[in-house]
Structures are given as structure tokens and as C-alpha cells.
Amino acid sequence: MLCFGARRRLGRVVTLLGMRSIFLVGFMGAGKSSVGTALAAQLGAQFVDLDGEISRRLGAPIPEIFARYGEDTFRTTERDELERCAELPDVVVATGGGAFCSVANREVIHQTGGVSVFLDLPWAVLRERLVRDHSDRPMYDDPDQARQLFEERLPHYRCALVRVSLAGQEDPAEVAGIVVATLREAPCAI
Ligand code: S3P
């Protein structure tokens, strides 16, 4: 339950964002889906999980898509679904860890007026999360390979319009609050 003041402040964020959708980007394990769910709830917006849309479209879970059709098919579908999501008004989209690493995908997001938000967590936190839970992540082999992929991808994530630096101990609702506060201050979001 939100007090009147909080509602008014959140209402102002939505007003400032106008029809701009928010795209959460960052490495595997950054919490894009859980933060996206909390953020959409705080903003009263629709939440879309890009990987979920890809799974629905191809009728299989992500690891099966990689195993059965290969990464190329996954990436092509990812682009298609991203283009579709980018046309939706006022949504919060959690992208997969590789989506923002394509220049064309970044253009899809930004040219349709989307605001990209990089959830920037320390490698040590991501590593720990991935070691604990990587069963559904075909792009993860082992900590060393994942570290290299993370380093390669950082320059791409840094192309996001907004960067939110996190310690990794915050819960999803807290991170969503930080994202809202950061967007309120970000000139690009106005
Ligand atoms: C991928 C990350 C996954 C998913 C797919 C590819 C990647 O999403 O899109 O397995 O290339 O990093 P998460 O970042 O939600 O794990």
C-alpha cells in the first residue's frame, strides 16, 4: 500500500516518462526479471519478460531452444520479439543477458523511444548467483568462461541510457525504487 505522497511521486515518474517504455539490461543473474516485475508493479505498467515471449513463440523453454535450434535461431527470435515489445506502449521489459549486446537491438530500443537501464552488479555477486543457479542458462559453462563473457559484454551494457550501480544485496522492490529515483533525475527520461 502506498501513501498519497508516494502515489503522487510515482504518478509524476509515469508522467515524466510519458509513453517511454523501460528496458532492463545487464548480465545473467543481475535480477532483470524480478526487478522488472517489481518495477512494473510500482509504476502500474505491464511487465514483459523477453525470454518468456521467445519461449512462448517457439513453444519450448530457453535451454531446449538452444539445444534444438541453436543460438542463431534464438537470437533471430529475440530480435523479432524485441521489435514487437518495443511497439507496446508504457511497458517494462526484462531482456535476456545477450539482447543488448547487438547494435541493431539497441537501435530497436532507442529508436522507438525506449529507455534502457543497466543493472550494474559486481562480478563477485553475479558469479555467486550463477554458480548457485545456472541450470536454465545455456550461455553459462563455468565461472571462468562466464567472467570472460561478462568482460566482453560490459562495453555494450554501458551503452544503456541509464546505469544503476548496485551492491547486489538489495531486494527487487528496493532496486525498483532506486530505478524509479534514478529515472526521475535522468534527463533522458524526461
Ligand atoms: C542469455 C541470457 C539469458 C537468456 C539466454 C541467453 C545470454 O537470459 O536470454 O539464455 O546470452 O546471456 P538471462 O540474462 O535472464 O539469464
Side-chain angles (χ1 to χ4, degrees):
M1 193 68 179
L2 291 169
C3 68
F4 179 68
R7 269 184 205 286
R8 225 178 42 168
R9 280 196 298 278
L10 286 179
R12 201 169 121 69
V13 172
V14 175
T15 308
L16 287 177
L17 287 171
M19 296 300 283
R20 302 190 72 170
S21 290
I22 299 170
F23 292 78
L24 298 178
V25 311
F27 202 61
M28 296 177 277
K32 301 176 294 288
S33 299
S34 46
V35 170
T37 304
L39 182 60
Q42 285 190 23
L43 294 172
Q46 186 196 339
F47 171 67
V48 181
D49 185 81
L50 190 59
D51 281 344
E53 297 303 303
I54 297 165
S55 283
R56 213 160 46 133
R57 165 105 167 258
L58 295 179
I62 301 295
E64 207 178 307
I65 292 171
F66 271 74
R68 216 198 287 172
Y69 306 114
E71 187 181 349
D72 285 355
T73 298
F74 172 82
R75 297 293 172 202
T76 307
T77 314
E78 183 174 56
R79 166 84 48 81
D80 281 358
E81 288 302 314
L82 186 66
E83 282 172 352
R84 203 177 55 75
C85 292
E87 296 301 330
L88 301 171
D90 259 347
V91 290
V92 174
V93 181
T95 65
F100 202 67
C101 302
S102 140
V103 178
N105 285 352
R106 293 203 286 271
E107 281 175 7
V108 167
I109 293 173
H110 296 146
Q111 285 174 2
T112 51
V115 180
S116 49
V117 177
F118 170 30
L119 299 184
D120 187 8
L121 281 85
W123 167 249
V125 174
L126 296 171
R127 181 189 195 281
E128 196 203 308
R129 290 183 187 178
L130 291 172
V131 166
R132 213 180 327 122
D133 179 18
H134 55 259
S135 54
D136 288 341
R137 292 189 160 113
M139 293 300 290
Y140 176 94
D141 292 333
D142 59 63
D144 289 342
Q145 167 271 341
R147 171 85 198 237
Q148 197 182 325
L149 189 60
F150 172 70
E151 299 288 349
E152 285 166 15
R153 286 178 170 185
L154 269 179
H156 298 279
Y157 299 142
R158 288 181 179 141
C159 295
L161 296 181
V162 174
R163 174 173 169 178
V164 175
S165 297
L166 301 160
Q169 317 307 324
E170 308 88 346
D171 67 34
E174 235 176 307
V175 178
I178 297 170
V179 171
V180 169
T182 310
L183 286 171
R184 287 184 71 212
E185 301 304 321
C188 70
I190 299 173

